[in-house]
Amino acid sequence: MPAFTPAERETFLALLVTRRAAGESFDAIAATPGWPSRPTLRKWLRRYPDLDVPPLRRPSVHWSAVLAREIVERFEFESLREICASPGMPDRKSLHNWRRARPDFDAALEAVRQATRQPPTGRRSTYTDLVADDVVWAVFEAGSIHAACQGPDQPPGRTVRDWARIHPEFARSLGIAYEMAHDRRIAPRLAAAEARLEARIRKLTGQRAALPPRLRRG
């Protein structure tokens, strides 16, 4: 990451104040693409102690059945990371403590995670049927996951392999793409080998025909 100019630093700090005042968490702001990292932002803030920035840490959120039900419902469409970054929601540490202290709440979240085939890391899977079809076609064209995932619009190879472990139908499609790609690669070699063999047979047949009749025996 290149060094930021003083003007860029002032711009980011002004935006930081505005976004914190609007309720965004410090972690969510620092995770914005193109923004300075959290340590850099904290270093800048130490240089400007008089800057009117809302506290970086959000106030603690206390447990309630209503809030827990909302989290479970939102988990069907959002990742736990996204939920915890929302205003009025507990941070990830608090959510973890809630799950440990309340088995029913943890079981409800786990049921949603399994039903939606989400990984236990809290990150929402980016798998969709449309993206999966695109990856399968890319594997057929390139011949391997590694080669297919070099494209700018393709997911990382590790992600594709994780999808294959979670989605059996995707794994089967990848296997078919591999086989078809392999057949397509070796088809020209087989055709060339057959052409060489046929040419060799024609040559030997011509040479044999040119021999005197008494030498063609055997």
Side-chain angles (χ1 to χ4, degrees), residues 4-18 35-36 40-41 44-45 47-48 51 53:
F4 293 95
T5 65
E8 289 174 333
R9 181 172 63 239
E10 293 178 3
T11 299
F12 279 120
L13 287 176
L15 290 173
L16 173 64
V17 172
T18 302
W35 270 64
T40 299
L41 287 174
W44 290 355
L45 290 173
R47 295 180 183 177
Y48 300 91
L51 195 63
V53 181

Side-chain angles (χ1 to χ4, degrees), residues 6-175:
E8 289 174 333
R9 181 172 63 239
E10 293 178 3
T11 299
F12 279 120
L13 287 176
L15 290 173
L16 173 64
V17 172
T18 302
R19 294 177 64 175
R20 283 294 296 120
E24 288 190 71
S25 70
F26 178 70
D27 289 347
I29 295 171
T32 304
W35 270 64
S37 63
R38 285 183 297 176
T40 299
L41 287 174
R42 290 182 182 278
K43 181 176 66 175
W44 290 355
L45 290 173
R46 286 195 294 270
R47 295 180 183 177
Y48 300 91
D50 297 331
L51 195 63
D52 186 17
V53 181
L56 300 185
R57 292 184 178 276
R58 291 182 296 173
S60 59
V61 177
H62 299 289
W63 162 270
S64 74
V66 174
L67 188 58
R69 186 163 53 251
E70 180 182 350
I71 292 173
V72 173
E73 292 174 352
R74 288 179 59 176
F75 189 36
E76 295 183 7
F77 310 99
E78 301 178 66
S79 71
L80 292 179
R81 291 172 181 266
E82 292 171 331
I83 294 172
C84 290
S86 303
M89 288 292 169
D91 57 25
R92 293 173 60 193
K93 182 178 180 180
S94 297
L95 181 65
H96 176 70
N97 291 336
W98 288 6
R99 298 185 69 171
R100 292 184 59 185
R102 303 175 189 275
D104 292 344
F105 174 61
D106 180 63
L109 287 176
E110 181 62 18
V112 173
R113 186 190 70 78
Q114 293 185 9
T116 54
R117 295 181 176 181
Q118 300 304 319
T121 59
R123 293 185 176 90
R124 193 81 180 173
S125 175
T126 55
Y127 178 89
T128 66
D129 291 339
L130 184 62
V131 174
D133 289 344
D134 186 47
V135 171
V136 169
W137 179 257
V139 169
F140 167 70
E141 290 288 336
S144 70
I145 291 178
H146 175 75
C149 292
Q150 299 305 307
D153 298 327
Q154 297 296 342
R158 181 177 179 180
T159 298
V160 172
R161 294 182 180 89
D162 289 341
W163 289 353
R165 285 192 291 269
I166 298 172
H167 303 274
E169 67 282 1
F170 176 61
R172 286 193 293 270
S173 297
L174 280 179

Side-chain angles (χ1 to χ4, degrees), residues 166-201:
I166 298 172
H167 303 274
E169 67 282 1
F170 176 61
R172 286 193 293 270
S173 297
L174 280 179
I176 294 173
Y178 270 127
E179 293 178 3
M180 295 177 65
H182 178 264
D183 292 344
R184 187 185 62 181
R185 287 198 306 270
I186 67 173
R189 300 177 186 175
L190 291 176
E194 291 177 356
R196 289 194 298 269
L197 180 59
E198 291 177 358
R200 180 63 176 169
I201 292 174

